[in-house]
């Protein structure tokens, strides 16, 4: 008995200490528990000056917000680095049974004795050149988006995935075609669009390790990771999309004024940031991008700022960690990230079973970007009421919530294609 009495307090103390360090995260999925907050007004500067015209937005509002997201959320790109070489490594005029032209281009970056290769896989419709293209990163290599055996398999590090046969962080032919469901290339080609895709891990492996990928290209002597306001992985991936755009500007087969940047989930966050920072992208699509993407951070519904910073400490800049459990301190919220895309078309898409990404927060973000689109006479989302399931709104700011979960479905692509046709035709 005496022994038990001695052990018990230790046991109790240990448990309390453990509970404090490893507090379980319980996501909120109840609308009634969403905290009361004031959403910052994109038509007011941080000092409270009203913004009444597109000119004032471009002179004051936009630069201030862009700076906020750069310094506090995604992180600044330290320096410029241009493509060292571009090489057409493979092409066929007979892809997809003769419907498409396939091209694979290797971009190489070199600096300080380092070298990084990234491969662009393109399918372009025959007869509609230069083509309007969708540009999007894929999660597991270009060879996963098609069963086409000519497609290059990346050598870059990958997250393991038993279902896709990815072991020891190495991509192999076993994963050829495993993501065809997310990339309906034939449908895209039949609609007269092209597709360009790149494996995101070639620009920066998605792990908490700043010694690989593009980050070290810019380190000062002795530096081992980005400083407080320097780029996390999302910003590095967005940088990569801009370099792909540099290449597309030189490619005669592509209409570089008509490139639609698209991404799902973490790559949807990336597409939004790329569209905000690089105005050469003609339109932006965010598919189920959630926290740190389209969803409003201040709602703290589903995934939160603290959870995302804990789980993925490398995605955002270090300054963003100061907002973990401190969303009230955010001077701007994600609707203003969407506003940075204005006046260009932007599409925010949710899925009803993807509550982790907070569909309502994604919708409200799209809705509250509207006042900035109004300055340009462009149509935002007309009401703050969410549309029904599978009832898309195809304005300059577009939105849908579809049946099903966190994924890119045929339904999503059908909407993107139809909307892009209408939005881009008379730009
Ligand atoms: C989840 C993460 C989300 C989303 C997703 C994905 O684990 O919590 O923010 O980015 O990954 O990219 O698939």
């Amino acid at each position: 008995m005496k022994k038990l009495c001695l052990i018990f307090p230790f046991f109790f103390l240990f448990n309390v200490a453990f509970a404090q360090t490893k507090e379980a995260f319980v996501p909120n999925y109840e609308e009634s528990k969403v905290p009361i907050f004031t959403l910052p007004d994109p038509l007011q500067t941080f000092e409270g000056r009203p913004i009444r015209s597109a000119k004032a937005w471009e002179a004051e509002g936009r630069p201030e917000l862009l700076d906020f997201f750069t310094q506090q959320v995604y992180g600044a790109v330290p320096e410029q680095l241009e493509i060292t070489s571009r090489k057409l490594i493979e092409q066929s005029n007979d892809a997809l049974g003769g419907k498409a032209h396939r091209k694979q281009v290797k971009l190489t970056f070199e600096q300080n004795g380092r070298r990084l290769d990234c491969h662009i896989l393109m399918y372009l419709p025959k007869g509609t050149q230069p083509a309007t293209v969708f540009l999007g990163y894929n999660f597991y290599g270009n060879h996963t988006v098609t069963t086409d055996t000519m497609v290059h398999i990346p050598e870059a590090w990958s997250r393991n995935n038993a279902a896709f046969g990815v072991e020891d962080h190495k991509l192999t032919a076993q994963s050829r075609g495993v993501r065809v469901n997310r990339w309906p290339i034939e449908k895209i080609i039949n609609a007269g669009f092209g597709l360009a895709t790149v494996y995101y891990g070639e620009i920066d492996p998605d792990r908490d390790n700043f010694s690989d990928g593009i980050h070290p290209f810019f380190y000062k002597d002795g530096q081992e990771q980005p400083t407080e306001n320097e780029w996390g992985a999302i910003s590095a991936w967005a940088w990569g999309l801009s370099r792909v755009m540099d290449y597309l500007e030189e490619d005669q087969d592509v209409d570089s004024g008509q490139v639609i940047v698209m991404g799902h989930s973490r790559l949807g966050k990336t597409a939004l940031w790329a569209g905000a920072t690089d105005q050469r992208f003609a339109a932006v699509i965010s598919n189920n991008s959630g926290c740190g993407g389209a969803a409003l951070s201040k709602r703290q519904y589903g995934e939160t700022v603290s959870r995302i910073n804990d789980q993925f400490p490398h995605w955002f800049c270090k300054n963003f960690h100061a907002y973990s459990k401190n969303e009230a301190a955010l001077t701007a919220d994600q609707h203003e990230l969407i506003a940075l895309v204005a006046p260009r078309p932007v599409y925010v898409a949710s899925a009803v079973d993807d509550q982790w990404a907070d569909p309502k927060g994604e919708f409200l973000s799209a809705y509250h970007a509207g006042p900035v689109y109004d300055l340009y006479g462009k149509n935002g989302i007309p009401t703050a009421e969410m549309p029904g399931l599978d009832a898309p709104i195809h304005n300059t700011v577009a939105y849908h919530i579809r049946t099903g979960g966190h994924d890119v479905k045929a339904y999503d692509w059908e909407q993107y294609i139809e909307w892009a046709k209408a939005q881009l035709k008379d730009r």
Side-chain angles (χ1 to χ4, degrees):
M1 184 66 194
K2 204 173 171 195
K3 225 181 186 176
L4 240 182
C5 291
L6 275 174
I7 290 168
F8 181 73
F10 282 111
F11 181 72
F12 181 73
L13 277 177
F14 174 78
N15 267 315
V16 169
F18 186 73
Q20 274 172 357
T21 49
K22 266 224 150 199
E23 202 181 297
F25 174 74
V26 182
N28 173 42
Y29 290 129
E30 278 176 55
E31 212 46 54
S32 62
K33 290 193 181 144
V34 167
I36 293 167
F37 61 87
T38 315
L39 210 55
D41 179 355
L43 296 190
Q44 223 174 67
T45 66
F46 292 166
E47 283 179 356
R49 279 190 308 283
I51 290 168
R52 297 200 177 92
S53 65
K55 206 167 157 220
W57 162 254
E58 284 168 25
E60 283 195 85
R62 191 176 194 284
E64 184 177 68
L65 282 166
L66 187 61
D67 187 61
F68 176 83
F69 284 106
T70 303
Q71 302 299 326
Q72 301 295 320
V73 184
Y74 302 101
V77 177
E79 271 172 55
Q80 286 301 318
L81 177 64
E82 289 181 6
I83 303 167
T84 313
S85 74
R86 67 277 284 145
K87 211 183 209 162
L88 179 64
I89 56 163
E90 192 272 341
Q91 67 173 326
S92 163
N93 235 329
D94 205 21
L96 298 179
K99 271 188 201 164
H101 180 193
R102 181 186 65 235
K103 291 212 270 195
Q104 300 186 71
V105 174
K106 178 164 87 171
L107 305 184
T108 300
F109 301 92
E110 283 179 49
Q111 176 147 281
N112 297 335
R114 287 181 174 267
R115 178 195 164 110
L116 186 143
D117 293 330
C118 101
H119 297 78
I120 312 170
L121 168 65
M122 282 185 266
Y123 285 92
L124 300 166
K126 283 196 188 162
T128 17
Q129 256 107 16
T132 297
V133 305
F134 289 98
L135 164 64
Y137 276 126
N138 59 71
F139 280 84
Y140 286 98
N142 294 349
H143 66 298
T144 62
V145 311
T146 169
T147 49
D148 202 333
T149 53
M150 293 305 288
V151 175
H152 174 265
I153 302 174
E155 275 136 44
W157 184 96
S158 166
R159 286 180 300 142
N160 285 337
N161 185 323
F164 292 173
V166 187
E167 283 170 22
D168 299 328
H169 307 289
K170 210 175 152 24
L171 295 163
T172 66
Q174 224 185 307
S175 43
R176 216 177 259 296
V178 294
R179 276 284 161 84
V180 288
N181 56 317
R182 286 194 178 175
W183 300 93
I185 303 175
E186 201 151 346
K187 194 178 277 180
I188 293 169
I189 295 289
N190 288 345
F193 291 89
L195 173 71
T197 186
V198 174
Y199 170 48
Y200 81 133
E202 286 193 318
I203 295 294
D204 191 29
D206 190 358
R207 57 175 165 175
D208 180 10
N209 173 350
F210 286 108
S211 64
D212 53 12
I214 197 66
H215 288 103
F217 280 61
F218 301 91
Y219 288 164
K220 309 266 176 300
D221 277 351
Q223 189 177 353
E224 285 179 355
Q225 42 178 292
T227 59
E228 260 51 31
N229 72 334
E230 282 179 350
W231 53 354
I234 292 174
S235 184
W237 297 323
W239 174 89
L241 290 170
S242 287
R243 301 293 70 76
V244 173
M245 183 55 146
D246 293 346
Y247 164 76
L248 295 177
E249 285 189 318
E250 300 163 2
D251 189 322
Q252 305 295 310
D253 296 335
V254 171
D255 183 347
S256 59
Q258 305 265 296
V259 176
I260 306 156
V261 65
M262 180 269 172
H264 168 63
S265 206
R266 68 198 67 186
L267 300 176
K269 308 180 208 296
T270 302
L272 283 171
W273 185 231
T277 49
D278 191 335
Q279 292 179 292
R280 294 174 298 172
F281 292 115
V284 182
I285 299 170
S286 138
N287 192 89
N288 307 176
S289 64
C291 181
L296 293 175
S297 300
K298 288 178 193 276
R299 277 174 49 81
Q300 300 175 47
Y301 184 104
E303 188 172 29
T304 63
V305 171
S306 71
R307 170 69 181 198
I308 207 166
N309 280 331
D310 287 351
Q311 294 291 302
F312 306 102
H314 59 295
W315 281 2
F316 300 87
C317 72
K318 293 198 178 67
N319 279 340
F320 191 53
H321 291 235
Y323 300 97
S324 290
K325 299 210 175 103
N326 188 21
E327 289 84 349
L330 283 164
T331 323
D333 208 331
Q334 300 302 107
H335 61 307
E336 289 165 309
L337 172 69
I338 295 172
L340 290 176
V341 179
R344 294 162 293 154
V346 62
Y347 202 130
V348 174
S350 309
V352 70
D353 296 333
D354 185 19
Q355 292 295 314
W356 180 245
D358 186 12
K360 186 164 185 190
E362 293 179 317
F363 169 77
L364 288 174
S365 225
Y367 173 71
H368 287 291
V372 176
Y373 280 81
D374 287 346
L375 294 178
Y376 292 91
K378 301 276 181 187
N379 291 329
I381 302 287
T383 83
E385 265 319 292
M386 270 182 94
L389 273 189
D390 308 316
I393 300 169
H394 284 186
N395 289 344
T396 307
V397 182
Y399 179 82
H400 73 238
I401 175 163
R402 68 156 163 77
T403 316
H406 190 69
D407 201 352
V408 192
K409 299 283 206 190
Y411 177 85
D412 298 311
W413 275 106
E414 282 154 19
Q415 303 315 311
Y416 301 151
I417 288 170
E418 194 182 304
W419 169 78
K421 274 187 181 165
Q423 291 298 323
L424 294 184
K425 70 169 187 277
D426 27 60
R427 274 169 28 92

